[in-house]
Amino acid sequence: MPDAQLLAAQDLRLDVNLLDYVILALYFLVVLGIGFAARRAVRTSLDFFLSGRALPAWITGLAFMSANLGATEILGMAANGAQYGLMTVHYYWIGAVPAMVFLGVVMMPFYYRSKVHSVPEFMRRRFNGATQLLNASTFAIAQILIAGINLYALGLVMDALLGWPLWVSIIVAAAIVLAYITLGGLSSAIYNEVMQFFVIVAALVPIVVIGLTRVGGFSGLGEKVKQGVLGEGGLHTWAQTGGTDNPMSANWIGLVLGLGFVLSFGYWTTNFAEVQRALSARNTNAARLTPIVAAYPKLVIPIMTVIPGLVAVVLFGNLGKDGGPTYNEAIPLLMNEFLPNGVLGIAVTGLLASFMAGVAANISGFNTVFTYDIWKSHVNGDHSDEWYVRLGRIATTGGIVAGIGAAFIAAGFSNIMNYLQSLFSFFNAPLFATFIIGLFWRRMTAWAGFWGLLSGTVCAFASYILYKTGVLDFGTELNASFWGAGIAFVVDAIVSVVVTLVTTPKPQSELRGLVYGLSDASLSDDALAGDAAWYRSPVILGAGAVVLAAAFYLPFL
């Protein structure tokens, strides 16, 4: 324990041996093998970009979960656990599960049955081409920046743990992701993500078990957290949120409306990198079940992310302090402290899997949106289907190269989750406002969609700049993203209403299947045998996930 208290960043280097590198090499071979196998199934652009819409719900559900379980989830949530304590579970139980259920129950029928390739394409059909281009452009930028977070975090960890130079780690990982997405498209990404989910779990479970054993179990951890920098507040979720006297400096209004509503629903319901997995499902019911299947493992992921963060802040007294390791290094520190060779190889492989799953989700979403929503819709739409598959592969290469550049932007943030939440407040929050209003208010006009989205995005950036320059005081950068998201949503909604009142709406014939209450009678029922069973009901399973999320809060209020 005394040695751990004095641990510095330079002590992270792992004592890996040949066995660990063999495990890592085998993982790379399997990943590439899946890419070559998936390539044989790619015959059309639908196969490349949406897996031919042929996958069952359990496959797409695990891929949906794994696509989110990237570096920002593993390192970022562990960092938040160390910095903010149990309040980090808000990102899961109020900040994810309800929105995932809403996506499955309410929104997926509109996405899936409209036969769109992407969220921006849906925005074009509901509003106009200008709204599609704005959404596609901001989404493409966001995916490159988020891919950069994953690549930077991977390079940082590989440099610290294995001694690989930062640029070598980034390029090797980027090259492998590039290879298997270029080969097999979305199918390759999804099947790798399913495998990566289990690899990530296998990597994190030993860290949790050994860490809890080292600190005396859950009770011992609780006592040590109380005595540490987080204090009693580190063990509660809603205590003291009537004001800001809590580790996150967050008021319940910001948590419920900023995180639980705007940021959460904005991310899970409009982020095409996630929605794309559901669009690859074999029918409407499987598409609806995709985010709901993912919601159940999402409920318990905090055990493998937040708990290690708390263990790290207890064991390493200089974590997050000047001269000590950053909060982002909580997981690598625990790996270094606990794991023997062999298990260490699995853990390193699990971290790589999490980074690569995140990058793959970002890049597969980017290549689809660039190909369909930017190039085909606004540059040149007169090419063959095979030509667009080739363009998708070129876009994949370009996205990876741009992601490598974006990796060095992420280097300026000591907690990558703060950076990520800022990006969500810029891009996802205003999009959610435009989308949800347009979905339920058929009167909303095409140009209201464009100007609402643009104004919300600009205000989110303005809020962040005012916070960074000291004009606005939100306490913490994380809380600033909550309020920024709320401001973006409100401004978007107000502008949308005002512009709607002075412009002409689309005729109802153009809105069928795109807004609530106007079904498209031309669409046939695609239900399969067994879909009527209760255990395949999105409503029943979704309600169960929400009830569990609420119940999980009870011991930690």
Side-chain angles (χ1 to χ4, degrees):
M1 184 75 70
D3 292 337
Q5 291 283 353
L6 298 174
L7 189 65
Q10 62 265 28
D11 298 318
L12 277 171
R13 191 66 48 81
L14 297 179
D15 184 23
V16 292
N17 63 14
L18 180 61
L19 176 60
D20 299 314
Y21 278 111
V22 167
I23 293 171
L24 198 57
L26 286 174
Y27 169 72
F28 285 147
L29 289 174
V30 171
V31 164
L32 293 174
I34 290 173
F36 279 104
R39 181 183 176 86
R40 296 189 298 179
V42 177
R43 297 181 179 85
T44 68
S45 62
L46 188 66
D47 295 331
F48 185 81
F49 294 111
L50 289 177
S51 300
R53 292 183 184 265
L55 301 178
W58 75 270
I59 291 285
T60 55
L62 286 179
F64 189 101
M65 180 71 259
S66 185
N68 179 250
L69 203 57
T72 52
E73 180 82 3
I74 304 302
L75 296 188
M77 287 303 179
N80 275 358
Q83 188 172 1
Y84 305 117
L86 284 183
M87 291 189 75
T88 305
V89 301
H90 288 311
Y91 282 100
Y92 298 88
W93 299 340
I94 193 175
V97 171
M100 294 165 78
V101 171
F102 182 82
L103 170 63
V105 172
V106 177
M107 296 180 66
M108 276 316 302
F110 292 95
Y111 280 138
Y112 191 87
R113 304 201 74 193
S114 62
K115 302 299 181 184
V116 296
H117 287 83
S118 66
V119 172
E121 184 181 351
F122 187 93
M123 299 298 281
R124 176 185 62 78
R125 294 183 59 183
R126 172 59 183 89
F127 298 110
N128 56 20
T131 309
Q132 176 195 29
L133 183 60
L134 175 59
N135 177 206
S137 300
T138 56
F139 173 83
I141 293 169
Q143 293 315 293
I144 293 302
L145 292 174
I146 297 170
I149 296 174
N150 282 292
L151 286 171
Y152 170 71
L154 182 148
L156 192 67
V157 170
M158 293 301 103
D159 180 22
L161 301 186
L162 304 179
W164 297 3
L166 184 67
W167 66 271
V168 171
S169 303
I170 290 174
I171 291 175
V172 168
I176 293 172
V177 173
L178 173 63
Y180 74 74
I181 296 181
T182 303
L183 287 168
L186 184 62
S187 292
S188 180
I190 284 177
Y191 283 116
N192 267 306
E193 285 160 2
V194 172
M195 177 194 69
Q196 286 160 343
F197 175 79
F198 293 105
V199 172
I200 293 165
V201 170
L204 293 177
V205 166
I207 296 174
V208 174
V209 173
I210 299 172
L212 285 173
T213 302
R214 181 72 66 88
V215 298
F218 285 106
S219 60
L221 177 62
E223 287 301 317
K224 290 179 174 62
V225 169
K226 287 180 185 178
Q227 298 165 12
V229 65
L230 288 171
E232 180 73 28
L235 299 177
H236 297 282
T237 54
W238 292 103
Q240 305 300 318
T241 57
T244 58
D245 186 20
N246 55 72
M248 200 175 277
S249 298
N251 186 278
W252 70 268
I253 298 174
L255 288 172
V256 173
L257 298 181
L259 174 62
F261 180 57
V262 179
L263 276 175
S264 172
F265 278 70
Y267 174 80
W268 291 104
T269 63
T270 63
N271 186 346
F272 180 55
E274 300 290 341
V275 172
Q276 187 180 28
R277 273 74 193 146
L279 290 179
S280 67
R282 63 187 177 184
N283 71 339
T284 303
N285 197 65
R288 296 179 74 193
L289 284 174
T290 294
I292 295 171
V293 167
Y296 281 88
K298 188 71 172 177
L299 285 166
V300 296
I301 290 296
I303 296 173
M304 294 181 286
T305 54
V306 181
I307 294 299
L310 288 172
V311 171
V313 81
V314 165
L315 291 181
F316 311 118
N318 58 348
L319 185 67
K321 297 179 180 178
D322 291 341
T326 67
Y327 289 116
N328 291 328
E329 293 170 329
I331 291 286
L333 284 168
L334 295 176
M335 289 169 55
N336 183 56
E337 184 77 6
F338 297 153
L339 302 184
N341 293 113
V343 178
L344 195 57
I346 294 172
V348 173
T349 302
L351 278 180
L352 277 175
S354 72
F355 299 132
M356 292 168 63
V359 175
N362 303 137
I363 298 303
S364 60
F366 169 82
N367 66 22
T368 303
V369 166
F370 178 83
T371 301
Y372 278 104
D373 298 293
I374 296 177
W375 194 275
K376 186 176 182 179
S377 297
H378 296 278
V379 179
N380 191 333
D382 296 327
H383 291 288
S384 67
D385 189 70
E386 293 78 8
W387 192 91
Y388 289 110
V389 173
R390 290 195 298 272
L391 179 61
R393 290 189 164 115
I394 294 171
T396 301
T397 303
I400 286 288
V401 172
I404 292 172
F408 295 96
I409 297 177
F413 292 79
S414 63
N415 185 330
I416 53 178
M417 186 54 66
N418 290 341
Y419 176 37
L420 185 70
Q421 292 302 317
S422 298
L423 294 180
F424 290 159
S425 70
F426 300 157
F427 301 119
N428 291 93
L431 174 60
F432 174 61
T434 298
F435 190 99
I436 204 69
I437 296 170
L439 184 66
F440 289 101
W441 189 30
R442 66 186 68 169
R443 171 73 173 80
M444 185 176 177
T445 64
W447 284 107
F450 173 81
W451 289 110
L453 182 59
L454 180 62
S455 60
T457 303
V458 170
C459 284
F461 273 103
S463 170
Y464 182 76
I465 292 170
L466 290 174
Y467 164 71
K468 296 297 285 186
T469 55
V471 177
L472 296 177
D473 181 13
F474 295 117
T476 64
E477 191 156 351
L478 209 54
N479 197 40
S481 67
F482 298 164
W483 283 99
I487 291 168
F489 184 92
V490 171
V491 170
D492 188 315
I494 292 173
V495 172
S496 296
V497 171
V498 170
V499 175
T500 291
L501 296 178
V502 296
T503 51
T504 304
K506 285 186 171 184
Q508 289 193 6
S509 59
E510 295 182 21
L511 298 177
R512 293 202 170 275
L514 302 173
V515 299
Y516 196 81
L518 287 178
S519 60
D520 188 346
S522 66
L523 295 175
S524 59
D525 183 12
D526 61 358
L528 300 174
D531 279 352
W534 70 267
Y535 54 84
R536 290 190 186 176
S537 166
V539 174
I540 293 174
L541 294 179
V546 172
V547 169
L548 283 175
F552 283 6
Y553 267 122
L554 296 178
F556 310 109
L557 294 175

